[in-house]
Amino acid sequence: MNDIKYDYILCRFGELTTKGKNRKDFIDRLFQNIKKRLKDYPLLSYEKQHDAIIIHLNGIDHDTVCDKLKTVYGLSNYSGAIRCARDLDDVKAKALVLIKKHPYKTFKVNARRQDKSYPLNSDMINREIAGHILRNSDVKVDVHHPDIMLYVIVKNDRIYLMDEKIQAAGGYPVGINGKTLVMMSGGIDSPVAASMMMKRGMKVECLHFASMPYTSKQALDKVLDLVKILTDFQDEIKVHIIPFTDLQVKIYEHTDTSYAITILRRMMYRIADEVCRRRHIKMIANGESLGQVASQTPESLSVIGGVSENLIIRPLACLDKIEIIDMAKKIGTYETSILPFEDCCTIFAPKDPVTKPHADKCEYYESKFDWAPYIKECVDKMETIVIKNGDTRLEEDLF
Amino acid sequence: MASNIYLDNVSTTKVDDEVLATYTKLLNDYYNSDALYDGGVTVFRHQEHSRKLIADMLGVKSNEIIFTSGASEANNFVIKGLSLMHPKGHIITSYYEHSSVIEALKQVERTLGIDVTYIKPQSDGTIDPMDVKRALRDDTFLVTIMKVNNEIGTINDLKAIRDALGGHKALFHSDMTQALGKIKIDLSDVDMASFSAHKIHGVKGSGFMYKKAHIKIEPLISAGQQEFHLRGGTSNSPANIVLAKTLRLALEKVDDKRIDEYHDYLINGLKAIKGVVINSNDKGIKSLINISTPIKTEPMINALNLKGIMVSGKSTCGSKENEPSRTLEAMHIDSDHALRISFDLNNTKEDLAYFLECLKEIIEKYE
């Protein structure tokens, strides 16, 4: 026995272990999310336990599966596991192979009996296995900072031997905390905001404002490509596309240029509210960050967000641009976000936007035209596209 | 009698059926990939997806893949593009590079006052990294050494050359045309590299340059925004799009053991023919065998041609010139009698048996 293959991946839960009464719902949701994430591998099978989900690899490559699991929120950490007979000699032999497979210098054995009827106690198991490794390799014991921690779990019909814990994405399983509508521009910030909402267990629907013909087909494609990347975290995402041009033109007709962006953003929130109402969503999120641009000063955020009836979450509010860029790179959206296409906020952008807008002035400009029918029309004409994970939106057979 | 036996795969290859079908289909999508309407946008998206897949397969970034008309253009691009930025500077290369490297170098020597050092291969056909190191000067801005030689098949150890260069500022480029699809390649050893599609069962007039993202270079073809403003002219989108599939299919076959079998079978057969000398050694790719026979190269090619067998003498790009092969000359091999046999997975053992039989017959008849 020179090489050893993992038989399972043992997935441990994230924050949901702290939630007592909703535990079952959390685990069920995480279980569904893991299965969706691994849907391309029908040979895998699953075992749900009260403290872990065990993926039976059935010959599928361990690294391939781990790679997919990286984007599953709600997972705290996972380990490759090897199934042993309920016989310590089998565990010892396999533990030695596992240790020798890596360039580890120090180790520690951490045994736990879930089946207390096993004749040896945890300490005795630790000593038995460690002794065997010490006698047959050059690796030393280090109980404080071992290079590898070997976990041994004794069940009533088998013993698991496990590699070290690999950190997973953490957070809550997507969908467990309800739905949120994320305003998605196509820039760097909004996809990051969406992924942060997902991490808090929110199922995301996206809202995009398109100003055809002032914005291009490429600009819309870019947004859909960004959402496609986000489907690694949430298997299927709805994107609602609002034809915004008519209302946008009206705003510019009736508003002083310095207030145009402020009014424009207020209208966006009103549209988002209407979409929320129709989609039974109670929360709006976006990529606004304090002070980043004129419409994101405290005064602007207050005057703009003030029109909404919904809870508004701004996950990036207190992050600076560098931190946001790092997160965008981590989730894989950065390269797409920086492609240069106009969005609805960059066209007609005034040179002198107000940084401390007043609500009464906004109301004055808004009183000059009947905007409510435009809001309704925008949402009536909304187009919804469903983006699914794995869908490249391209002619696949060309590649 | 067997006929149409193609044993010149180093020169070019048969277009793969699946590649050809896709390419033919793509030719109908005539829209300019830079156009803003739907047709153009779709072509652009397909082309960029191809670029990403190619980058992924080679373990690099999308913006490091620049589509060209092939490796000759990529080689010219590297040499002239960098020479324009370093006139009167110094380049190190090997004595046995492809003509697109040698001739581009001669041109910049002539016109930009570039000084070029040509390293001779060792007797085993490889370039000694220490020779490259010894040739380094303060003003060396480029080292260009091919990965696999196109006449004799020897493989250069690019990692060893990279190590020998140490921290020198010179960029390291490699013409990897003959390596692609035949051996595993590691782009982390180099700064830039050149590739052709038609050597891996793709279409002609298609290839790409790999260039690390931070490296600045002057365009060879100055025009529009295509290829990150580095290579102007309306994109050859059908070829660029089908290149991802071409590369995928080629890389899937890199480890095919049949090539080793064919190689051993041919070597054993050649050894048994009186008068045949095997010039290739075990430092080379398996799918190319260079030999010398008692018959001069051209009559031998003609005689084999009459039997329906296609092989080359020296590099095909210099086949109609009377100069001796630089590669073979450098290795002290008489290029007047040399023959280059290059097979691939489209060949059968029967093809090789027939070739051996004909070769033996011709040698016995005309010697």
Side-chain angles (χ1 to χ4, degrees), chain B residues 86 88-91 115 137-142 168-169:
Chain B
H86 301 89
K88 299 201 188 312
H90 177 234
I91 298 178
D115 192 18
R137 304 194 323 214
D138 284 350
D139 62 343
T140 308
F141 63 90
L142 174 65
H168 195 286
K169 63 172 180 5

Side-chain angles (χ1 to χ4, degrees), chain A residues 333-345:
Chain A
T333 52
Y334 180 73
E335 297 295 332
T336 304
S337 282
I338 57 174
L339 294 175
F341 303 114
E342 299 257 25
D343 69 37
C344 68
C345 293

Side-chain angles (χ1 to χ4, degrees), chain A residues 26-200:
Chain A
F26 278 77
I27 296 170
D28 286 349
R29 177 69 67 158
L30 179 60
F31 187 47
Q32 290 312 315
N33 290 355
I34 288 173
K35 284 208 284 194
K36 269 188 212 159
R37 185 71 187 123
L38 299 173
K39 63 174 183 287
D40 291 343
Y41 307 97
L43 285 178
L44 298 173
S45 54
Y46 304 86
E47 194 181 329
K48 201 163 51 170
Q49 301 200 331
H50 79 285
D51 61 346
I53 290 168
I54 297 166
I55 302 170
H56 295 235
L57 289 168
N58 300 327
I60 307 283
D61 179 52
H62 163 263
D63 292 338
T64 310
V65 175
C66 286
D67 206 47
K68 291 267 176 191
L69 290 176
K70 277 180 192 160
T71 58
V72 177
Y73 287 128
L75 260 185
S76 168
N77 59 65
Y78 47 83
S79 304
I82 296 158
R83 184 188 175 125
C84 307
R86 220 169 109 102
D87 163 10
L88 219 47
D89 285 341
D90 190 34
V91 182
K92 283 187 210 168
K94 284 175 175 162
L96 189 64
V97 176
L98 194 61
I99 285 271
K100 285 186 172 173
K101 196 179 163 190
H102 303 285
Y104 299 129
K105 287 202 175 64
T106 58
F107 76 103
K108 178 183 174 183
V109 183
N110 187 337
R112 197 152 55 89
R113 287 181 311 164
Q114 285 180 355
D115 171 19
K116 301 286 182 203
S117 72
Y118 193 75
L120 301 179
N121 69 24
S122 303
D123 240 15
M124 292 153 87
I125 298 171
N126 285 343
R127 269 183 274 138
E128 278 279 331
I129 296 171
H132 182 72
I133 293 171
L134 286 169
R135 282 191 295 277
N136 294 288
S137 74
D138 300 329
V139 192
K140 304 263 183 298
V141 170
D142 181 342
V143 291
H144 300 295
H145 305 287
D147 292 343
I148 180 184
M149 179 83 93
L150 274 185
Y151 294 90
V152 178
I153 296 179
V154 181
K155 299 258 175 193
N156 56 7
D157 61 341
R158 56 193 142 159
I159 297 179
Y160 288 131
L161 179 65
M162 265 176 303
D163 237 338
E164 65 218 302
K165 292 179 180 173
I166 296 162
Q167 207 59 41
Y172 292 96
V174 170
I176 196 69
N177 284 332
K179 283 198 289 188
T180 189
L181 185 70
V182 177
M183 297 158 86
M184 182 74 62
S185 67
I188 296 167
D189 301 343
S190 35
V192 175
S195 82
M196 288 177 81
M197 295 308 290
M198 290 171 181
K199 189 169 182 177
R200 300 321 293 163

Side-chain angles (χ1 to χ4, degrees), chain A residues 217-218 221-222 225 335 341 392-399, chain B residues 22 25-26 36 38 41 45-46 49-50 53 241 244-245 248:
Chain A
K217 170 90 164 44
Q218 286 104 311
D221 273 330
K222 176 179 155 184
D225 281 345
E335 297 295 332
F341 303 114
T392 59
R393 307 199 306 108
L394 296 167
E395 238 180 283
E396 293 280 353
D397 58 352
L398 294 178
F399 307 96
Chain B
T22 305
K25 180 170 179 250
L26 282 165
L36 298 178
D38 285 8
V41 170
R45 287 174 63 80
H46 283 146
H49 189 61
S50 168
L53 292 174
I241 294 168
K245 174 174 275 187
R248 177 175 60 77

